[in-house]
Amino acid sequence: MFRAATVLREDALDERSLRRLDNRELDTVFRSSRAGDLPRGRLPGTTLLFPGTRACGPLARLVHLAVWQGKETEPSGRSLENLVGPLRTRTIRALLSHDRSWVDGGKCVLIDYSRTSVVARMVRDEIRLVTPGLYLGVIWLWNRRVGWFTLRQR
């Protein structure tokens, strides 16, 4: 918990520093952050698999190159699509809104796939603004928290 508090005090949060935090520390950062506005435009993303371990950085780069690069909002700003594969194919649509987080009941930006996607209807993403332009996200799968990611507002 000390490292997360230090990072917050120094206001030096970026994707690299978040990769170094473990699950408990990421939870602390998420809980202490505000929802922020609904993100807009192309949002480069970073997966945080096995956060706090040496594997997190290389896995993030591999996933970014081959699988998932982030999300892009529709012009209305009320929905988005994931950027998937090396060609950044726009797919798997979700609705954007403010809602209560399953983490702590506080306000978050909800990325809701339940009404827009057959293949991802069991996925719920919640994001909060952890520093200007950077959102930290929690991935829920079948009502269980399974991972973390970031989105960068440009």
Side-chain angles (χ1 to χ4, degrees), residues 1-13 17-18 20-30 32:
M1 187 110 100
F2 178 75
R3 286 189 308 163
T6 301
V7 170
L8 287 173
R9 274 199 310 272
E10 294 171 358
D11 199 27
L13 286 174
S17 64
L18 290 171
R20 288 192 284 257
L21 301 180
D22 64 25
N23 282 304
R24 188 182 66 238
E25 293 166 328
L26 288 170
D27 188 69
T28 299
V29 171
F30 187 86
S32 65

Side-chain angles (χ1 to χ4, degrees), residues 3-131:
R3 286 189 308 163
T6 301
V7 170
L8 287 173
R9 274 199 310 272
E10 294 171 358
D11 199 27
L13 286 174
D14 61 12
E15 292 84 347
R16 174 175 258 161
S17 64
L18 290 171
R19 284 195 315 252
R20 288 192 284 257
L21 301 180
D22 64 25
N23 282 304
R24 188 182 66 238
E25 293 166 328
L26 288 170
D27 188 69
T28 299
V29 171
F30 187 86
R31 288 172 183 270
S32 65
S33 300
R34 63 184 183 84
D37 295 330
L38 298 180
R40 305 255 349 205
R42 187 168 278 210
L43 309 162
T46 302
T47 57
L48 302 174
L49 303 173
F50 303 104
T53 69
R54 291 181 186 211
C56 190
L59 283 171
R61 287 186 288 282
L62 179 63
V63 169
H64 185 78
L65 287 172
V67 181
W68 181 78
Q69 289 77 36
K71 301 175 186 291
E72 187 167 351
T73 63
E74 298 292 325
S76 71
R78 290 298 188 193
S79 64
L80 57 70
E81 291 180 307
N82 284 273
L83 303 173
V84 175
L87 300 177
R88 294 185 178 109
T89 303
R90 291 177 54 142
T91 188
I92 311 176
R93 186 170 172 266
L95 299 177
L96 280 172
S97 65
H98 283 103
D99 201 353
R100 295 278 169 215
S101 171
W102 289 357
V103 173
D104 59 8
K107 190 175 177 182
C108 71
V109 174
L110 172 62
I111 303 172
D112 182 12
Y113 298 91
S114 67
R115 293 176 282 164
T116 58
S117 173
V118 173
V119 298
R121 76 173 64 154
M122 74 298 282
V123 177
R124 172 188 171 102
D125 293 339
E126 299 176 359
I127 60 174
R128 287 191 176 153
L129 191 64
V130 297
T131 194

